Amino acid sequence: MLEVKPKKFHKILVGVDDAPDARAAFAYAVDKAKRDDSELGIVSVYETNDVNVYQALSRDYVHSSREELKERINEYVEAAIDYGVDPKKITAIIDEGERPAERICNHVIPEFHPDLLIVGSIGKAGNRHTVGSQASYMVKHSGTSVFVIRTESTEN
């Protein structure tokens, strides 16, 4: 007789941005973390390739942009806590670089050590440099189990 034993994950990492699929990935990750009593890492990448040279030279611009990203990550953290994930088991992660998928695979995963990565399947409309649009890269290069969440809606 075949026995069904669902795998429990201990450390889940979810990539977030403003795309519908990324929000759906976040919702799935939060529910899975709560059910498995897992640690939950919530990561977003501050994309330096979207910053022009004048913005890069302006401390005020870089600081305000990173602060906005930090505020967004904190909203995700609060939503996870409101859903019932133990606040002591949540880590907010802001990374910085040009390619979110590569940053997550080469920098965030080696530091956080998740046994599951959850990402959306597409990125924000008109922007191919978001977490979701690079899901195939992360599936191939993450070195961990990956769930790719797809939604029917691609509207923001």
Side-chain angles (χ1 to χ4, degrees):
M1 178 92 179
L2 181 66
E3 184 179 354
V4 176
K5 292 178 79 175
K7 178 170 174 63
K8 289 200 174 211
F9 294 94
H10 304 285
K11 208 166 187 182
I12 298 170
L13 179 65
V14 61
V16 297
D17 59 26
D18 293 326
D21 283 4
R23 289 191 299 267
F26 171 74
Y28 182 85
V30 167
D31 185 65
K32 182 74 172 152
K34 181 180 176 182
R35 283 186 287 123
D36 288 2
D37 193 30
S38 304
E39 288 184 52
L40 177 65
I42 304 168
V43 63
S44 193
V45 177
Y46 178 66
E47 297 179 62
T48 56
N49 62 327
D50 288 341
V51 178
N52 70 42
V53 68
Y54 300 108
Q55 293 168 328
L57 293 173
S58 168
R59 279 186 191 216
D60 291 338
Y61 176 82
V62 172
H63 178 73
S64 68
S65 296
R66 282 188 61 88
E67 283 301 313
E68 288 172 15
L69 183 57
K70 187 176 181 180
E71 287 175 19
R72 261 190 285 147
I73 286 285
N74 287 336
E75 290 173 10
Y76 283 104
V77 169
E78 289 302 318
I81 292 168
D82 290 347
Y83 190 78
V85 177
D86 182 350
K88 295 181 214 128
K89 292 188 172 191
I90 300 173
T91 303
I93 303 165
I94 297 176
D95 195 66
E96 187 174 315
E98 292 189 12
R99 295 173 196 84
E102 290 178 27
R103 294 298 306 175
I104 289 170
C105 289
N106 298 324
H107 298 273
V108 177
I109 288 174
E111 289 183 20
F112 188 70
H113 303 289
D115 53 353
L116 176 63
L117 171 64
I118 301 175
V119 294
S121 64
I122 61 169
K124 293 179 277 190
N127 185 350
R128 298 210 32 91
H129 299 292
T130 58
V131 171
S133 66
Q134 298 183 42
S136 62
Y137 180 93
M138 290 185 275
V139 167
K140 187 174 182 179
H141 298 283
S142 70
T144 192
S145 295
V146 180
F147 286 1
V148 179
I149 306 297
R150 181 178 303 277
T151 61
E152 291 179 27
S153 171
T154 57
E155 297 176 17
N156 283 330

